[in-house]
Amino acid sequence: MSTYTPHRVVILCRISDARDEDTTGVDDQEKHCRGLADRLGWKVWKVVVENDVSAYKRRKIQLPDGTYGLRTVRPGLRDAIAWLSTGEADALIAYDLDRAVRDPRDLEDLIDAVELRKPRPPVESVTGSLRLANDADITMARVMVAVANKASRDTARRVANARLRKATNGEYSGGIRPFGFLKDGVTVEPAEAAEIVKATEALLAGASLRSVVRSINAAGVKTSRGKEWNTVELRDMLRRARNAGLAVYKGEVVGQASWPAIVPEESWRAVVALLNDPARRTSPGNRARWLGSGLYICGGCGETVICSRSGPATRPYYRCRPPRGGAQRPGNHVTRTAELLDEHVEELIIERLSRPDAADLSLQDQGEDVAPLHVEAVTLRARLDELATLHADGEIDARQLSTGSIRLRNQLKDIENRITAASQGNVFAGVVGTEDTRATWKRQDLGRKRAILDALMTVTIMPARHGRGPDGSYFDPASVRIEPKR
């Protein structure tokens, strides 16, 4: 035991698996550590809490010299070691050795921080398993951390093997209840499943991720943790392969799952491709705020227009995009009041969607028949499993396994791409064939409206007469050229 009484003691509390932000484990550790400090007469300076932090799992990170290495990510422990090294803290208390360190490199850094200071800052634990007062203590700590590290490796390997076995068999491997399913992870929860279908269809029909988040939160639907949705949570949920009834291991689909699909595989693949598209704009500054921005065409120069309030105008209006470099584009450029033009275009869209043949619009969006593609994909995955079995039994060598796997995976990737392309989204789904087309149209978000506009027609703004028209309005519908696309 140290011969002096520390007055700036750091308490280190850690738990590796805190479900739903449960801090009971670390709170209990802190209570016991404070009790030890009181018995020793030490004064607590700081309490470092690492909630839901592993002392064993390592990640690839960039090191200070620019190279990369595998390290445990423990900001709290790093702070404690730094305070001991500089003398800002003069002692450390943890509940036990396992709560403090499980990685030999972390232990060595802690030992260095202790041995470099004079007098030597004491390190103690409630259970007595962590002490660094002398060479014997340090040797024992090294042995115990090595044993604990091996135990963690053994556990990780057993868990990984169990998860692979369950995934291959299409079984649920446990964890936090997945949205859309009951706690067993297999039984579909109808109300939540309906939200998954609704969100998937909305995105594929042209709605923005933010608008879908707003819609699901407005409906009062919570995540499986009982929280409101945000774009990250919703994106991750919609990209889950389990929504399509597929089992996954380490991010790779390994086969059909034991639970039913909530959305067709082609729809899931299409929404994953959409959300993973690096060109997808998510910055609020780049988001279109008007129906025709980037879609309407100037009849004078042939370029698309934008909507703005710049200049002396007090009302928003459509105008040509400003040329780069200040050079004026040739042609008779046009401008048009945004509200009046959008109202006119929306009326034309509603009229088209209200026609008896509007249902045919959905049929025109149907792609390749995916049923045979699914059969072929299942066959290819089975052949990959057969190759792995042959290699395990010594029937083929590693080179043959690699060659065969590459060919089969390339074929499977091609099939999956065709499945994705077959369902890039029907922009008219849920809009045509309703009792009140106008009301249905008004309920759509701007992204969906723009997608429908782009699919239905090309709008060109032509030069207009000056002054009021016969009806007293400055807007002349004849100055807008509409070219139907279907």
Side-chain angles (χ1 to χ4, degrees), residues 68-84:
Y68 287 86
L70 293 174
R71 298 290 188 273
T72 57
V73 180
R74 305 265 319 268
L77 174 64
R78 289 292 127 194
D79 286 342
I81 291 175
W83 294 328
L84 290 173

Side-chain angles (χ1 to χ4, degrees), residues 129-172:
S129 58
L130 173 62
R131 294 190 69 220
L132 303 177
N134 50 51
D135 290 347
D137 288 341
I138 289 175
T139 299
M140 181 57 68
R142 283 170 172 158
V143 171
M144 293 177 67
V145 165
V147 172
N149 189 266
K150 182 181 184 303
S152 293
R153 287 180 177 272
D154 292 342
T155 300
R157 184 175 62 255
R158 287 194 298 270
V159 170
N161 290 338
R163 286 179 176 171
L164 174 59
R165 182 174 62 257
K166 286 189 173 184
T168 303
N169 294 332
E171 300 174 16
Y172 177 50

Side-chain angles (χ1 to χ4, degrees), residues 383-448:
R383 290 175 62 188
L384 281 169
D385 291 341
E386 290 173 5
L387 273 181
T389 301
L390 290 173
H391 179 258
D393 292 342
E395 299 293 330
I396 60 175
D397 58 27
R399 182 187 61 80
Q400 292 170 316
L401 173 64
S402 176
T403 302
S405 296
I406 290 173
R407 292 183 60 184
L408 290 175
R409 290 187 184 280
N410 287 338
Q411 294 176 39
L412 181 59
K413 185 65 176 177
D414 178 65
I415 294 297
E416 291 175 346
N417 288 339
R418 288 167 62 187
I419 291 175
T420 300
S423 182
Q424 289 300 328
N426 184 342
V427 298
F428 302 104
V431 179
V432 298
T434 61
E435 292 185 4
D436 190 341
T437 303
R438 181 179 298 277
T440 302
W441 168 262
K442 295 298 183 182
R443 287 196 299 268
Q444 306 308 310
D445 65 84
L446 182 60
R448 183 76 177 275

Side-chain angles (χ1 to χ4, degrees), residues 160-353:
N161 290 338
R163 286 179 176 171
L164 174 59
R165 182 174 62 257
K166 286 189 173 184
T168 303
N169 294 332
E171 300 174 16
Y172 177 50
S173 59
I176 298 171
R177 181 183 74 82
F179 184 82
F181 297 84
L182 297 182
K183 194 172 182 179
D184 62 9
V186 175
T187 307
V188 172
E189 204 289 320
E192 293 182 352
E195 293 296 331
I196 294 176
V197 173
K198 182 180 176 182
T200 298
E201 290 179 346
L203 284 175
L204 295 179
S208 67
L209 188 62
R210 288 187 179 88
S211 69
V212 177
V213 169
R214 288 194 298 270
S215 176
I216 196 170
N217 283 332
V221 179
K222 304 295 184 181
T223 68
S224 59
R225 292 173 180 252
K227 299 181 179 181
E228 283 203 340
W229 293 91
N230 56 45
T231 54
V232 175
E233 289 265 8
L234 188 66
R235 180 187 291 111
D236 290 345
M237 186 274 289
L238 292 177
R239 291 190 300 187
R240 297 179 321 190
R242 72 160 26 250
N243 295 342
L246 300 173
V248 173
Y249 180 71
K250 291 188 175 180
E252 183 177 347
V253 174
V254 295
Q256 295 298 128
S258 58
W259 53 86
I262 292 176
V263 297
E265 182 180 342
E266 56 270 21
S267 297
W268 169 72
R269 291 193 179 279
V271 85
V272 169
L274 178 70
L275 294 174
N276 289 347
D277 183 2
R280 182 177 173 84
R281 293 179 175 181
T282 57
S283 170
N286 291 332
R287 191 173 60 218
R289 294 179 174 85
W290 291 86
L291 181 65
S293 295
L295 295 178
Y296 296 163
I297 297 174
C298 171
C301 67
E303 296 289 334
T304 56
V305 298
I306 60 172
C307 189
S308 72
R309 285 187 173 90
S310 61
T314 58
R315 303 176 67 183
Y317 66 97
Y318 287 109
R319 62 182 177 86
C320 292
R321 294 177 181 273
R324 293 183 179 179
Q328 184 66 29
R329 295 193 187 96
N332 297 319
H333 304 287
V334 297
T335 60
R336 202 61 40 89
T337 302
E339 294 103 325
L340 296 177
L341 178 54
D342 283 351
E343 288 175 6
H344 174 66
V345 171
E346 286 195 70
E347 287 299 322
L348 294 175
I349 293 174
I350 292 171
E351 187 278 329
R352 177 66 185 91
L353 297 178

Side-chain angles (χ1 to χ4, degrees), residues 54-116:
S54 172
Y56 161 72
K57 293 179 182 177
R58 298 181 298 169
R59 303 178 192 170
K60 182 179 179 181
I61 63 171
Q62 187 171 18
L63 304 177
D65 63 358
T67 61
Y68 287 86
L70 293 174
R71 298 290 188 273
T72 57
V73 180
R74 305 265 319 268
L77 174 64
R78 289 292 127 194
D79 286 342
I81 291 175
W83 294 328
L84 290 173
S85 298
T86 61
E88 205 170 351
D90 55 7
L92 175 72
I93 294 179
Y95 183 76
D96 60 19
L97 177 67
D98 281 355
R99 296 302 96 195
V101 289
R102 274 195 169 224
D103 182 85
R105 183 181 281 109
D106 289 340
L107 175 63
E108 293 304 321
D109 290 343
L110 179 59
I111 292 172
D112 288 347
V114 169
E115 293 191 322
L116 285 172

